Amino acid sequence: VQLQTSGGGLVQAGGSLRLSCAASGITFSTNHMYWYRQAPGKAREAVAGITRGGSTNYADSVKGRFTISRDNAKNTVYLQMNSLKPEDTGVYYCAARTILTGSMNYWGQGTLVTVSS
């Protein structure tokens, strides 16, 4: 199983980035997919999630700025991040699970997002 995360980088405040997470080794369409992030010195936190049915949810801190989406034909989940702020800086991870409760079954390797002020 592999969740290959990409798209991170350095961007100025107010800019945009799109993260991608390509899954292999799992039946992507039956998995609920998530984005988490971990800022330096802080605990990992949930950013956004999308169910296998397409329902989405977001952390309050990113509502209205981030959009999670999935393409089951490409086995890929995306995180479009707009109006980025310095506090969005961190390592972003994608994760997958087959049920809506409990621990994640799989994690990606993470991609670094740095937002400069």
Side-chain angles (χ1 to χ4, degrees), residues 96-114:
R97 64 184 177 188
T98 54
I99 58 174
L100 282 174
T101 57
S103 302
M104 297 295 155
N105 298 119
Y106 310 107
W107 289 90
Q109 84 284 6
T111 186
L112 178 62
V113 172
T114 304

Side-chain angles (χ1 to χ4, degrees), residues 10-11 13 16 18-19 23 32 36 47 56 66 72 84 103 108:
L10 174 63
V11 64
S16 298
R18 189 176 81 154
L19 306 184
H32 309 295
Y36 280 72
V47 174
T56 60
F66 290 12
N72 288 343
L84 282 161
S103 302

Side-chain angles (χ1 to χ4, degrees), residues 10-83:
L10 174 63
V11 64
Q12 288 188 334
S16 298
L17 283 174
R18 189 176 81 154
L19 306 184
S20 300
C21 172
S24 59
I26 62 172
T27 305
F28 182 79
S29 62
T30 64
N31 275 263
H32 309 295
M33 302 299 297
Y34 302 84
W35 287 98
Y36 280 72
R37 68 185 179 191
Q38 187 166 19
K42 295 187 177 181
R44 190 176 297 187
E45 62 175 352
V47 174
I50 184 166
T51 69
R52 54 179 172 241
S55 298
T56 60
N57 59 81
Y58 300 90
D60 287 343
S61 59
V62 307
K63 282 180 181 176
R65 300 188 297 120
F66 290 12
T67 302
I68 188 172
S69 60
R70 64 189 298 157
D71 185 338
N72 288 343
K74 295 182 178 180
N75 289 352
T76 300
V77 61
Y78 304 97
L79 185 68
Q80 178 67 44
M81 306 185 294
N82 299 328
S83 302

